């Protein structure tokens, strides 16, 4: 127990600001994903390394993993289609009211709102913002968000029957 307490103090001494904490978590997530560890195991590693069993590392790891995935999609689109390509977020049936309002015109099964990739990128993330101030972003909108960044191809329009963009 005393060793665990010292480890906790050492890690917190190193991680004295939010940026360092985020970098530490990202590095642990990156290392865990390279080793193909489940997200739950990565969160448990964070608990063990920091000694902080009260923090919800599961939520943090889920958020960071999905954000990394969305950022990867955005990077690919920016390289292949340009920074001003049109994108939208595909919301799923279980989407929360916040995502429905940010990313759809009239709720689930309605036409998605179209954004320029550069616009979403400029919005940054919603970390630290109050819910009322949330903006459409590339990252996860909130913890456990699974809205998917997709490319809207030129010349395609929304088809209500297929619930997709087509010619």
């Amino acid at each position: 127990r005393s060793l665990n307490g010292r480890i906790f103090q050492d890690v917190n001494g190193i991680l004295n600001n939010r940026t360092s904490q985020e970098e530490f978590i990202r590095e642990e997530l990156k290392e865990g994903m390279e080793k193909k560890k489940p997200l739950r195991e990565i969160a448990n590693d964070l608990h063990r390394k920091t000694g902080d069993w009260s923090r919800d590392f599961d939520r943090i790891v889920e958020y960071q993993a999905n954000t990394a995935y969305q950022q990867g999609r955005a990077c690919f689109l920016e390289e292949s289609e340009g920074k001003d390509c049109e994108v939208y977020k595909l919301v799923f049936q279980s989407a929360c009211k916040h995502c429905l309002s940010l990313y759809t015109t009239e709720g689930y099964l309605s036409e998605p709102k179209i954004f320029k990739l550069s616009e979403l990128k400029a919005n940054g993330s919603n970390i630290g913002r109050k819910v009322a101030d949330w903006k459409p972003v590339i990252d996860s909108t909130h913890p456990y968000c699974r809205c998917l960044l997709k490319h809207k191809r030129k010349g395609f329009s929304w088809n209500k029957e297929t619930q997709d963009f087509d010619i």
Side-chain angles (χ1 to χ4, degrees), residues 1 28 40 51 59 68 102 117 142 165:
R1 287 181 184 239
E28 289 297 314
R40 178 72 182 151
R59 180 177 56 90
L102 287 170
L117 183 60
H142 54 80
F165 287 97

Side-chain angles (χ1 to χ4, degrees), residues 37-86:
K37 290 183 179 181
L39 296 179
R40 178 72 182 151
E41 190 175 332
I42 296 169
N44 285 340
D45 290 346
L46 285 166
H47 284 294
R48 278 191 293 279
K49 287 181 179 181
T50 62
D52 186 352
W53 293 92
S54 63
R55 187 173 294 183
D56 190 355
F57 281 119
D58 291 304
R59 180 177 56 90
I60 294 168
V61 167
E62 287 271 345
Y63 175 87
Q64 289 292 353
N66 189 57
T67 291
Y69 179 68
Q70 300 300 337
Q71 287 288 343
R73 291 179 68 86
C75 186
F76 173 78
L77 285 172
E78 187 171 8
E79 287 177 6
S80 62
E81 303 295 328
K83 65 180 182 178
D84 286 330
C85 69
E86 291 183 326

Side-chain angles (χ1 to χ4, degrees), residues 5-6 15 24 27 32 36 44 59 74 98 118 125 135 148 150 158 166:
R6 275 188 264 140
L15 305 177
F24 174 74
E27 286 302 315
K36 300 188 187 293
N44 285 340
R59 180 177 56 90
H98 308 293
S118 58
S125 78
K135 296 179 179 182
L148 183 63
K150 296 198 72 165
W158 183 249
D166 57 28

Side-chain angles (χ1 to χ4, degrees), residues 111-127:
E111 184 173 350
K113 292 179 182 176
I114 306 300
F115 305 95
K116 287 187 176 185
L117 183 60
S118 58
E119 178 186 351
L120 294 183
K121 194 173 185 177
N123 286 342
S125 78
N126 285 322
I127 294 175

Side-chain angles (χ1 to χ4, degrees), residues 90 108-111 158-165:
L90 177 65
Y108 183 64
L109 296 180
S110 69
E111 184 173 350
W158 183 249
N159 183 332
K160 288 181 183 179
E161 290 178 22
T162 62
Q163 292 296 305
D164 201 0
F165 287 97

